[in-house]
Amino acid sequence: MAEYILARGNGRHIPQEDKIFGISNRAKAMIKEKGADKVINATIGSLLDDEGNLVVLSSVDEVFKHLSPRDYADYAPIGGIATFREAVQKAAFGVHQPKGFIEAVATPGGTGSLRNVISNYSDGGDKILTSDWHWAPYNTIAGEIGRSIETFEFFTKDGRFNASSFREKTHELLAKQESLVILLNTPAHNPTGYSLSLEDWDKVIAVLQEEAKCGKAIALVIDAAYIDFAGEEEEYRRFLPKLEALPENVISIMAYSLSKTYTLYGTRCGAMICIAKTKEIADEFKRVCEYSSRGSWSNSAKVAQVILSRIYGDPALLQRVNEERAHYREMLLKRGRAFAEEAEKVGLKIVPFDAGFFISIPCDDPDGVSAKLEKQGLFIVPLAKGLRVSVASISKEKCRKLPAMIKAAM
């Protein structure tokens, strides 16, 4: 029987179900059958409290509940409402906004930003560069528009950022292609929790300064979905001014999401924000990305744009939001530290971890180990190079319990 009946494959491999959501659905089915106390679902990419309830910032929810129908039912402009485009730059950059020509375009979450960058800053058939440990949907996003993912080794053997592999792959792809899109997920990388240090960023900038001498177009995308759960907000934005040192043919684009930072997952709202060397390049960014938006989702949902605009229009409200988020960030950081401490105690090797929603474990047989753990009621995500645990979705107590279970299964 043919793989497709009426639909066209177009070079894509389309699975029967999404891997992560499939595992999560099996976890929910076991909870229904055996009870919540018999199951640990460490697959979920949302922040949950210790009882397993979705964390929603009450300060943000209050704004939501006081909106008028006009605030959420009307169309937003394709690039986003003006107050949102201004507010999202403040939200993304904090006090560390790089000097340059800045433009913001609203997107449906960070995913929409990635889709638009790949569509406009690469050619059909191009390879998009990212780290070998990466969020699996990068492959789907690239493949859906006729590109593919190429990877560099994220870490050296001693657990440091592998600048030499990054340099080698950047050089290799620029020799073959007329342009290159680079995706760096930092800080609090998904799926490892690693954050590029200031020294790591110096190496990235040095590589791009050298490789850009070929004159080809390079788009550096900072996928910053987890930036406000990495640690103190301004501290983790200190790398941003370093982008000013990049040459004219390198455009920096931050993919910023309201999903995690403002607990607005379901509103699907984010923005792509460029830092360009010239006004012409920034104007081009706005024009081509709005055009791509029109040709895919048209305009993004208005409701979260209005919410962010209201938050940044009221200093007291902004302070409340930041303080409430800080409380939950500390809860998350304690969970991550608990898992890492326990992993060290039981001799479970983890990928270098700093902060964030996820921790990864190198593993030669991720599917086999994951299947074995499922029988014990522990659900985690098998990746190409290992296993991913969501510390965002389980309590600190469970974070201490998991390393020994995983070690035994391996």
Side-chain angles (χ1 to χ4, degrees):
M1 181 179 173
E3 187 178 354
Y4 296 95
I5 302 168
L6 297 180
R8 305 293 88 191
N10 293 325
R12 303 170 297 172
H13 170 69
I14 302 176
Q16 293 298 317
E17 68 174 358
D18 180 272
K19 193 170 192 176
I20 296 175
F21 282 97
I23 296 168
S24 188
N25 287 338
R26 292 198 296 277
K28 290 172 184 174
M30 187 180 283
I31 289 171
K32 193 173 180 181
E33 178 191 349
K34 298 186 177 180
D37 60 324
K38 299 289 192 294
V39 178
I40 300 175
N41 185 359
T43 69
I44 301 167
S46 306
L47 185 61
L48 308 183
D49 64 20
D50 288 349
E51 284 69 51
N53 302 307
L54 181 69
V55 168
V56 178
L57 299 180
S58 60
S59 49
V60 175
D61 188 44
E62 190 178 306
V63 180
F64 208 137
K65 287 175 177 174
H66 286 86
L67 296 180
S68 69
R70 183 178 174 184
D71 291 326
Y72 55 79
D74 197 8
Y75 283 121
I78 292 170
I81 62 176
T83 50
F84 169 75
R85 289 158 75 141
E86 183 181 337
V88 79
Q89 292 177 44
K90 295 175 183 175
F93 297 142
V95 300
H96 295 288
Q97 178 167 321
K99 293 171 185 166
F101 294 87
I102 314 290
E103 286 288 351
V105 174
T107 57
T111 304
S113 302
L114 302 175
R115 187 257 169 225
N116 267 4
V117 174
I118 292 170
S119 177
N120 287 291
Y121 291 91
S122 66
D123 291 320
D126 274 1
K127 292 184 181 296
I128 309 304
L129 183 61
T130 193
S131 52
D132 51 359
W133 289 92
H134 63 267
W135 187 48
Y138 283 171
N139 298 277
T140 308
I141 297 163
E144 185 65 14
I145 48 178
R147 280 70 159 171
S148 60
I149 294 293
E150 180 81 7
T151 63
F152 66 93
E153 289 184 17
F154 202 4
F155 302 106
T156 58
K157 288 180 181 177
D158 61 352
R160 298 178 183 277
F161 174 68
N162 197 333
S164 134
S165 181
F166 176 69
R167 177 185 294 106
E168 181 185 326
K169 285 293 183 178
T170 300
H171 183 80
E172 178 186 313
L173 291 179
L174 281 169
K176 297 175 183 175
Q177 302 176 179
E178 291 308 306
S179 60
L180 178 61
V181 171
I182 300 169
L183 306 180
L184 294 181
N185 185 311
T186 188
H189 173 266
N190 176 3
T192 69
Y194 185 79
S195 300
L196 263 65
S197 67
L198 295 177
E199 292 73 23
D200 294 339
W201 270 109
D202 287 337
K203 293 171 184 175
V204 169
I205 300 298
V207 168
L208 295 181
Q209 285 173 328
E210 181 60 32
E211 295 302 327
K213 289 176 182 176
C214 67
K216 294 179 179 179
I218 300 172
L220 172 64
V221 183
I222 300 107
D223 182 354
Y226 299 90
I227 192 167
D228 288 310
F229 282 95
E232 199 280 321
E233 288 101 328
E234 300 302 349
E235 176 65 25
Y236 277 83
R237 285 168 166 80
R238 285 176 58 206
F239 72 92
L240 287 165
K242 292 182 180 292
L243 302 173
E244 296 168 12
L246 291 170
E248 187 174 312
N249 57 318
V250 182
I251 185 170
S252 302
I253 301 167
M254 181 181 276
Y256 184 79
S257 172
L258 274 65
S259 295
K260 285 83 179 172
T261 296
Y262 295 92
T263 62
L264 288 167
Y265 308 92
T267 64
R268 302 310 302 135
C269 184
M272 52 194 310
I273 310 166
C274 83
I275 304 106
K277 280 289 190 184
T278 69
K279 184 177 186 302
E280 291 74 21
I281 291 171
D283 289 346
E284 175 192 66
F285 165 86
K286 181 173 180 291
R287 178 170 55 85
V288 299
C289 292
E290 287 188 359
Y291 181 83
S292 283
S293 297
R294 184 59 165 160
S296 47
W297 52 80
S298 191
N299 43 13
S300 298
K302 187 179 181 184
V303 59
Q305 297 182 43
V306 173
I307 290 172
L308 191 71
S309 301
R310 297 276 170 87
I311 290 170
Y312 273 83
D314 182 341
L317 175 59
L318 176 61
Q319 184 175 346
R320 279 184 57 208
V321 172
N322 288 340
E323 287 173 355
E324 190 176 5
R325 186 192 306 114
H327 165 75
Y328 287 111
R329 180 172 61 240
E330 187 57 29
M331 176 188 78
L332 178 66
L333 291 169
K334 284 178 180 176
R335 290 176 182 177
R337 286 194 285 265
F339 188 101
E341 287 166 8
E342 209 61 34
E344 187 172 2
K345 281 182 191 174
V346 302
L348 178 70
K349 182 183 178 183
I350 65 173
V351 179
F353 170 78
D354 176 49
F357 278 37
F358 307 107
I359 291 178
S360 288
I361 301 110
C363 178
D364 293 332
D365 181 21
D367 288 306
V369 172
S370 176
K372 191 185 294 187
L373 288 166
E374 280 191 24
K375 292 175 184 174
Q376 301 172 38
L378 171 55
F379 292 80
I380 58 180
V381 176
L383 306 170
K385 293 176 63 97
L387 303 160
R388 188 193 83 174
V389 174
S390 168
V391 295
S393 62
I394 57 175
S395 67
K396 186 169 84 169
E397 178 189 5
K398 288 177 180 174
C399 284
R400 290 203 176 276
K401 182 179 178 183
L402 262 59
M405 294 178 69
I406 296 168
K407 174 76 173 174
M410 289 172 66

